[in-house]
């Protein structure tokens, strides 16, 4: 009898698996690798302050403390290189926004993440200046997930199969394997089948471009209506769109044009488009992650709803979920899945 099964090995399942390994739990991971899985398409950026309103991520200090500990530890264990801390340069779009953002940079919730203000951003037009954030960067999510998968395979802990656990009194089973507890890290898989299909997922399609531009600085991430993030093979990822009406895996000319329009507004050097990808984010109606225990099956847990912030949220959420399961530590009501029961 295993302590745990994990369903899904995207960012959430990979992070959860490394937590269980570290906690010396016995477990199996079940996953169907998909090229278009959200975690495979993601730019992997962790950015503490996002959006036009200069909004700090939920529990930013705790999340960023945890991610700066978690990913480098996994890098060391796997002897791989996928964690890339970099400054994030936010170009100010206009005078009104400049006033707004400058009034927020000394706020104690934002100030730990603000490095400096600057006027010139090489390779970009920045007539209203820019604000440089610290504690940002990106995770090469494909290298991270492949590295975790290789380790799990070596330890015979990964089974590549699309599965539906059966719940019995005191245990669950999959293909003859038995466990005490199941943790669902299956992204939008949860939307389609028991036992979490009643949760209010609002899948969010995202398209992203890959460009090459030898003149651009690779030692920072720039956000300017879109993000421009260094990536593999000397390329940059430019993204991304948010589409909740026509949610499918088709790449569209409209999304490509929109990203090019946003990029051209600020970029001041030539570039070539070399790729275009699409994925669907596992987002939730209230834009908060979902963590917790199933209200009817007490041995069934979820880590999901990571939306556009899987890389920043997963290390901290996996930690508190394990403390919740093992030690009964209460979850914050705003992320607890029980919020949907009221
Ligand atoms: C264009 C785009 C750009 C993005 N950029 C960023 C970014 O810069 N930074 C960031 O943090 N986030 C970003 N995201 C969001 C990020 O991708 C998600 O937050 C994250 O990938 C969610 O991870 P997950 O593990 O919950 O889900 P998924 O990646 O969907 O993984 C779920 C896994 O479970 C498997 N699965 C499902 N059901 C079953 C089953 N029954 N049996 C077996 N396996 C199953 C699936 O095959 C899949 O492998 C982006 C997303 C998109 C689309």
């Amino acid at each position: 009898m295993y302590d745990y099964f994990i369903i899904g090995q995207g960012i959430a399942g990979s992070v959860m698996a490394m937590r269980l390994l570290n906690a010396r739990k016995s477990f199996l991971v079940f996953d169907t690798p998909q090229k278009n899985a959200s975690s495979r398409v993601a730019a992997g950026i962790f950015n503490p302050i996002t959006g036009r309103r200069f909004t700090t991520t939920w529990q930013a200090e705790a999340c960023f403390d945890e991610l700066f500990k978690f990913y480098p530890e996994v890098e060391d264990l796997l002897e791989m290189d996928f964690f890339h801390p970099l400054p994030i340069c936010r170009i100010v779009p206009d005078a009104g926004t400049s006033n707004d953002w400058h009034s927020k940079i000394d706020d104690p919730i934002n100030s730990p993440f603000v490095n400096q203000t600057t006027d010139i951003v090489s390779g970009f037009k920045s007539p209203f200046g820019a604000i440089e954030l610290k504690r940002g960067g990106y995770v090469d999510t494909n290298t991270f997930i492949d590295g975790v998968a290789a380790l799990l395979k070596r330890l015979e802990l990964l089974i590549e199969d699309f599965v539906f656990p059966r719940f019995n009194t005191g245990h669950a089973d999959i293909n003859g394997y038995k466990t005490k507890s199941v943790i669902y890290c299956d992204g939008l898989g949860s939307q389609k089948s028991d036992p979490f299909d009643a949760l209010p997922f609002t899948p969010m399609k995202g398209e992203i471009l890959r460009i090459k531009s030898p003149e651009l600085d690779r030692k920072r991430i720039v956000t300017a209506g879109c993000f421009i993030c260094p990536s593999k093979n000397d390329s940059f990822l430019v993204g991304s769109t948010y589409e909740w009406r026509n949610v499918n895996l088709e790449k569209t000319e409209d999304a490509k044009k929109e990203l090019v329009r946003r990029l051209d507004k600020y970029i001041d050097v030539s570039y070539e488009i070399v790729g275009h990808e699409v994925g669907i984010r596992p987002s939730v109606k209230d834009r908060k992650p979902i963590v917790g225990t199933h209200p009817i099956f007490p041995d069934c847990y979820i880590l999901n709803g990571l939306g556009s912030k899987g890389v920043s949220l997963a290390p901290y959420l996996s930690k508190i979920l394990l403390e919740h399961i093992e030690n009964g530590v209460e979850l914050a009501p705003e992320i607890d899945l029980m919020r949907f029961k009221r």
Side-chain angles (χ1 to χ4, degrees):
M1 174 92 83
Y2 289 91
D3 294 328
Y4 292 97
F5 287 166
I6 297 175
I7 314 292
Q9 198 230 321
I11 295 170
S14 301
V15 170
M16 199 69 228
M18 296 314 292
R19 281 254 174 255
L20 294 184
L21 204 59
N22 193 40
R24 298 180 183 280
K25 300 291 171 189
S26 64
F27 67 95
L28 286 178
V29 179
F30 298 85
D31 182 63
T32 35
Q34 286 173 30
K35 206 171 133 273
N36 275 319
S38 189
S39 301
R40 295 286 181 176
V41 176
I45 297 171
F46 46 97
N47 179 0
I49 300 179
T50 55
R52 218 177 149 101
R53 292 196 193 138
F54 212 74
T55 309
T56 304
T57 297
W58 174 83
Q59 295 281 355
E61 290 260 20
C63 287
F64 280 69
D65 283 354
E66 194 53 41
L67 81 84
F68 268 88
K69 189 167 164 285
F70 178 86
Y71 293 113
E73 279 176 7
V74 178
E75 268 191 328
D76 284 351
L77 183 80
L78 300 179
E79 298 182 350
M80 294 181 97
D81 182 24
F82 51 76
F83 181 66
H84 304 282
L86 288 178
I88 296 183
C89 190
R90 295 190 56 142
I91 295 183
V92 181
D94 52 55
T97 308
S98 176
N99 291 337
D100 185 32
W101 288 4
H102 280 91
S103 72
K104 289 179 175 166
I105 57 180
D106 291 328
D107 186 321
I109 200 165
N110 298 326
S111 57
F113 300 105
V114 176
N115 196 23
Q116 59 176 349
T117 56
T118 169
D119 289 332
I120 296 172
V121 184
S122 64
F124 290 87
K125 300 163 220 162
S126 57
F128 301 98
I131 296 176
E132 192 184 275
L133 305 181
K134 53 189 170 188
R135 304 186 73 195
Y138 74 99
V139 166
D140 175 343
T141 56
N142 284 295
T143 303
F144 167 59
I145 293 168
D146 289 342
V148 173
L151 174 69
L152 296 176
K153 275 185 190 162
R154 222 168 36 241
L155 299 173
E156 299 188 4
L157 301 178
L158 176 62
I159 296 177
E160 288 184 354
D161 196 4
F162 194 78
V163 293
F164 299 97
R166 282 186 311 152
F167 290 91
N168 305 295
T169 319
H171 75 275
D173 75 78
I174 295 176
N175 305 340
Y177 298 105
K178 291 189 171 32
T179 183
K180 292 180 212 152
S181 306
V182 182
I183 306 178
Y184 282 81
C185 298
D186 56 344
L188 289 172
S190 265
Q191 201 193 19
K192 295 180 196 130
S193 66
D194 278 352
F196 290 112
D197 53 335
L199 290 171
F201 288 101
T202 49
M204 192 68 75
K205 178 176 178 180
E207 296 187 54
I208 191 165
L209 300 179
R210 188 176 292 280
I211 65 165
K212 287 208 170 178
S213 179
E215 292 165 83
L216 280 187
D217 184 351
R218 300 189 61 79
K219 292 207 167 56
R220 60 166 192 215
I221 295 165
V222 175
T223 68
C226 57
F227 60 72
I228 301 97
C229 178
S231 183
K232 63 187 178 190
N233 303 330
D234 294 331
S235 67
F236 292 82
L237 287 172
V238 176
S240 35
T241 57
Y242 286 79
E243 170 62 56
W244 62 94
R245 286 157 300 205
N246 297 312
V247 179
N248 53 48
L249 287 170
E250 276 166 38
K251 293 179 235 178
T252 65
E253 274 310 301
D254 280 356
K256 185 173 174 181
K257 272 191 205 143
E258 174 57 19
L259 290 171
V260 167
R261 185 191 67 75
R262 290 192 221 163
L263 184 61
D264 285 349
K265 188 166 170 197
Y266 294 99
I267 200 163
D268 214 11
V269 293
S270 61
Y271 65 88
E272 177 197 0
I273 298 174
V274 295
H276 179 182
E277 286 186 63
V278 56
I280 304 176
R281 305 171 185 90
S283 303
V284 178
K285 200 169 96 186
D286 64 3
R287 304 251 188 282
K288 287 279 190 310
I290 306 179
V291 182
T293 312
H294 194 281
I296 296 169
F297 302 112
D299 301 323
C300 182
Y301 305 95
I302 189 166
L303 170 53
N304 207 324
L306 300 182
S308 56
K309 296 192 174 174
V311 167
S312 327
L313 295 174
Y316 178 62
L317 293 178
S318 61
K319 181 176 168 213
I320 60 173
L321 177 59
L322 198 57
E323 286 168 354
H324 169 72
I325 300 172
E326 293 277 323
N327 307 320
V329 176
E330 271 192 39
L331 297 165
E334 67 273 21
I335 58 158
D336 191 334
L337 90 93
M338 295 309 261
R339 70 190 187 272
F340 299 115
K341 230 184 138 228
R342 282 167 218 134

